[in-house]
Amino acid sequence: MKSVSAALAAHLAGPVTTLATCWRITRVDGQEFFFTDHDRDLVFEGHVYKARSGYSRTAIANDASLSVDNLDVEGVFDSEAISEKELRAGLFDQAEVRIFLVNWADPSMGALRMRRGWFGEVVLTEQGVFRTELRGMTQALSQRIGELYSPECRADLGDHRCKVPIHPPVVARETAYALGDHVRVATGSGSGSEVYEDRIYACVVAGTTAPDQPAYDTTVGQQTADGSAVFEAMEAWSRAGAVMSVVDRAIFTASIDEPRAVDGWFAGGVLTWESGANAGRSIEVKGWTQATGQIELFLPMGYVIEIGDLFRIHPGCDKRLDTCIARFANVLNFRGEPYVPGQDAMMSYPDAR
């Protein structure tokens, strides 16, 4: 049962209504957009809902079951605040959407909440028409909760269970660090990740950093005293790179200083753009060729990749025990069961021969 104010309930029960649909869209980066299908802008709860037309949706239906209550949306965003490039770049994927009705003649009556959910993948055709699915809140209930035994690791590379320091925080001043903590320290010049010179630092003596940053020794294995804490330089997993040539939006060559990067080293890893039109976007890497420095992405970027664009990239993990040992030396945090018998072993029977 939906909750509305007494005034709005009386208006809905009347012979004539003056209702308008409002959309509040919140992207994952925090930007918000407000739209209404009314013929003029509406002010509701301190936000201006822009009058826009050109969209259609399937009917909103609710039931008491736990089935996913999705609806499809199709239309044309004619607001200058939303560009075709942003849609193609995927900036509206997984955006939160709230749909509600208001009395445009008296918005102070409050709102009738119709639907809250999230956009699926937004598809924009060459004709400028967008299509997307609005996934209801019960979508989250369709996700698997809990874990099953598996030969592969169930942790994600760099998460709190894996603990490989893929992208540790920047060292802070007058801050206590414990043994085993990892930090990044800006020791060089340049932009983005270039200032970290492909190094991270492990705390080998617990303590508190000094008010002013000392000169860190970037030689791998060398230690630097920072206040009462001592840090040791290590090769960073995330490496700074720059685009050298471009084939298309998914294939390009790059300059990356990584002596460990044999063919396939970055396959399955993540590349994050730090400059250029795609800055801030992350994408999974499909392939890496050491001899040519060629990177292939799983999906094309939303914007054109330009020569000189900067990025950071870290290697992939296929979640096998051998990779965890040989590449990351992280077997103590391996979250799989490679020696548990599989279905073939469980279904086998004695052979009398």
Side-chain angles (χ1 to χ4, degrees):
M1 181 177 180
K2 296 186 180 294
S3 175
V4 296
S5 67
L8 184 58
H11 178 72
L12 293 171
V16 179
T17 59
T18 52
L19 299 175
T21 303
C22 293
W23 292 62
R24 178 173 180 168
I25 302 173
T26 305
R27 293 193 328 205
V28 293
D29 60 4
Q31 292 197 44
E32 292 187 313
F33 302 83
F34 307 91
F35 301 99
T36 178
D37 61 359
H38 191 44
D39 58 3
R40 56 188 173 88
D41 294 351
L42 290 177
V43 178
F44 182 71
E45 294 183 344
H47 300 290
V48 178
Y49 287 78
K50 298 292 186 179
R52 292 293 179 264
S53 59
Y55 78 88
S56 61
R57 56 170 170 80
T58 55
I60 296 178
N62 298 286
D63 57 45
S65 71
L66 293 179
S67 60
V68 179
D69 48 353
N70 297 349
L71 65 90
D72 296 322
V73 179
E74 177 177 321
V76 180
F77 276 132
D78 58 353
S79 169
E80 295 179 356
I82 299 180
S83 68
E84 178 181 338
K85 288 185 177 180
E86 290 181 332
L87 286 169
R88 293 194 183 277
L91 296 183
F92 284 87
D93 293 353
Q94 311 306 318
E96 183 186 43
V97 183
R98 297 170 185 257
I99 305 175
F100 54 91
L101 298 177
V102 297
N103 179 4
W104 56 262
D106 187 4
S108 64
M109 288 184 177
L112 173 60
R113 313 291 175 181
M114 299 296 294
R115 178 58 50 82
R116 178 185 176 188
W118 294 267
F119 278 157
E121 181 182 0
V122 179
V123 178
L124 188 65
T125 68
E126 294 181 356
Q127 294 74 29
V129 176
F130 77 90
R131 297 186 182 92
T132 186
E133 178 185 45
L134 181 60
R135 299 169 179 170
M137 296 182 69
T138 52
Q139 175 76 25
L141 299 179
S142 66
Q143 306 302 313
R144 188 180 71 187
I145 299 175
E147 296 182 341
L148 301 176
Y149 285 107
S150 67
E152 294 82 20
C153 181
R154 293 182 298 278
D156 291 325
L157 183 63
D159 69 9
H160 69 283
R161 298 189 300 173
C162 171
K163 299 182 181 179
V164 172
I166 291 297
H167 194 61
V170 176
V171 67
R173 298 291 99 210
E174 299 182 283
T175 301
Y177 287 94
L179 182 66
D181 287 346
H182 293 82
V183 296
R184 288 176 294 147
V185 181
T187 56
S189 59
S191 302
S193 294
E194 292 177 332
V195 300
Y196 303 112
E197 299 188 280
D198 294 332
R199 295 290 184 268
I200 59 175
Y201 300 84
C203 181
V204 294
V205 176
T208 302
T209 53
D212 299 313
Q213 179 176 310
Y216 271 72
D217 190 336
T218 60
T219 306
V220 173
Q222 294 301 307
Q223 298 180 355
T224 301
D226 188 343
S228 59
V230 178
F231 293 90
E232 183 175 306
M234 302 171 53
E235 292 277 7
W237 293 108
S238 292
R239 314 297 283 200
V243 176
M244 303 301 291
S245 65
V246 180
V247 176
D248 54 33
R249 294 191 184 191
I251 302 175
F252 57 93
T253 62
S255 172
I256 303 173
D257 182 13
E258 174 55 283
R260 300 168 293 182
V262 297
D263 287 351
W265 177 265
F266 294 113
V270 175
L271 181 148
T272 300
W273 296 99
E274 295 184 334
S275 71
N278 294 294
R281 301 287 293 172
S282 296
I283 188 75
E284 190 173 357
V285 178
K286 182 178 182 181
W288 158 258
T289 305
Q290 181 189 34
T292 60
Q294 179 172 289
I295 296 174
E296 182 178 0
L297 306 177
F298 265 103
L299 295 173
M301 296 305 304
Y303 300 113
V304 174
I305 300 171
E306 302 285 354
I307 295 175
D309 285 355
L310 302 178
F311 60 86
R312 71 174 183 268
I313 185 172
H314 67 72
C317 178
D318 59 11
K319 300 183 180 294
R320 296 187 306 116
L321 178 63
D322 291 345
T323 302
C324 190
I325 295 172
R327 178 176 294 184
F328 300 105
N330 193 43
V331 67
L332 292 180
N333 294 312
F334 186 75
R335 302 289 174 164
E337 294 78 30
Y339 305 117
V340 171
Q343 281 190 334
D344 290 342
M346 290 189 296
M347 299 296 292
S348 64
Y349 52 87
D351 191 343
R353 291 181 297 175

